[in-house]
Amino acid sequence: MTDTSGNGTDNQQTANTTERADTGSSATFHDWWQAARPHTWPNAFAPVIAGTGLAAHIGGMHLGKALLALGVAWALIIGVNFANDYSDGVRGTDDERTGPSRITASGLARPQDVKLAAFASFFVAAVLGVILAVMSAWWLILVGAACIAAAWFYTGGTKPYGYYGFGELAVFIFFGLVAVLGTQYTQSGWLTAEGWLVAIGVGAISASVNLANNIRDIDTDAAAGKHTLAVRIGEVRARRLFTVLTLTPFVVSLLLGNSLALLGFAALPFAVSSILKVQRDQAKGKDLIPVLGINGRAMLIWSVLTAVAFTALGFPIWGGGEAVPYTAVQ
């Protein structure tokens, strides 16, 4: 295994990259599809759906902007998945992987091709993001640039922050707060208290998907010098945190204070199923793979039903108060 935390890593990484670069690409369409990790796509879809419902809640829904936001989020998550495949592959982190195989580490695709796929995805996200910013607010271009930088430097660069335990925080911020509130703002021009709560709920369960992935790989990551949050706080605490993050959206449903918002509880059986697998069954390694999909479905169902509730309400639910404009960035 390669020690990614030491100064001697560069030579080994260069050797790994050179060896794999000389291998011709034999990856099929199915291999590339799996490398895009479709089971993580709910992390992109859910916040946009929730944010669109929030915009509709105050009469600001815009289908064109919603589709642009969806395209940005989708391209970003595909880009970050290809970027992780490339960066972890050339570092040797994936050489003893417990999850689905990666096309870089397995030699199915040349590293430079995977890297190109990542940057092509980021380019699509950037183009769609610029269009959305021009239609909404110019400063969103800076937010988009931060999103792309965060996607690459999660495992890319000389000091990837994902290797130091900040992956879940980044997911919470960019696929929770930024994605939900950005979607609401670009369509309606407003941010609301409900929006912040929903963004916290989506961000938390999205982070739980990333945490489950890191609990699964805790042994191999630790051996490779990849100090994820799960590695840093230990398996027991990581499993407890997973439970807290998974249940956060349902706490949000209660805090929203309206019976329609309780529609989100229809996703609770999926959340409970994943929690039981992580806590009671103490699933390890490959046995944790289904948890990612289960929580992804829970997140998507909760977001859809919460969006439906907000759309149906059509008026602020916090004691009949007015929506709060975000005027500081007008």
Side-chain angles (χ1 to χ4, degrees), residues 2 7 14 16 21 38 49 52 58 82 106 116 127 133 157 162 167 212 215 228 233 241 249 283 290 297 299-300:
T2 303
N7 293 328
T14 301
N16 288 343
I49 292 170
T52 300
I58 52 178
F82 282 138
S106 64
L116 179 61
V127 170
I215 294 173
T228 63
I233 66 177
L241 179 59
R297 286 191 289 273
M299 172 172 48
L300 193 57

Side-chain angles (χ1 to χ4, degrees), residues 227-298:
H227 302 296
T228 63
L229 181 62
V231 171
R232 285 187 172 276
I233 66 177
E235 187 173 336
V236 173
R237 290 178 179 174
R239 290 177 186 271
R240 290 173 183 168
L241 179 59
F242 172 85
T243 299
V244 172
L245 293 173
T246 300
L247 292 178
T248 297
F250 306 101
V251 176
V252 168
S253 292
L254 293 174
L255 292 176
L256 288 171
N258 188 281
S259 57
L260 276 179
L262 298 180
L263 284 173
F265 272 84
L268 186 60
F270 293 95
V272 170
S273 175
S274 65
I275 290 170
L276 290 177
K277 195 167 189 64
V278 170
Q279 293 287 12
R280 184 190 65 188
D281 300 340
Q282 293 290 296
K284 293 180 177 290
K286 292 183 178 180
D287 293 334
L288 275 169
I289 293 176
V291 171
L292 279 68
I294 295 170
N295 258 25
R297 286 191 289 273

Side-chain angles (χ1 to χ4, degrees), residues 1 37 92-102 105 212-223 283-290 292:
M1 296 299 295
R37 302 180 73 188
T93 310
D94 283 341
D95 288 350
E96 300 294 336
R97 182 173 170 79
T98 57
S101 63
R102 298 281 188 90
N213 184 77
N214 287 333
I215 294 173
R216 181 197 68 199
D217 296 332
I218 192 168
D219 293 333
T220 54
D221 283 345
K284 293 180 177 290
K286 292 183 178 180
D287 293 334
L288 275 169
I289 293 176
L292 279 68

Side-chain angles (χ1 to χ4, degrees), residues 89-123:
V90 299
R91 281 189 167 86
T93 310
D94 283 341
D95 288 350
E96 300 294 336
R97 182 173 170 79
T98 57
S101 63
R102 298 281 188 90
I103 57 176
T104 303
S106 64
L108 287 171
R110 294 173 297 187
Q112 62 266 34
D113 292 340
V114 182
K115 185 178 182 180
L116 179 61
F119 278 93
S121 299
F122 293 151
F123 177 76

Side-chain angles (χ1 to χ4, degrees), residues 150-176:
W152 173 251
F153 289 109
Y154 174 52
T155 55
T158 57
K159 290 191 177 295
Y161 65 85
Y163 281 55
Y164 294 91
F166 296 106
E168 284 73 19
L169 178 61
V171 170
F172 176 80
I173 292 172
F174 291 103
F175 285 101

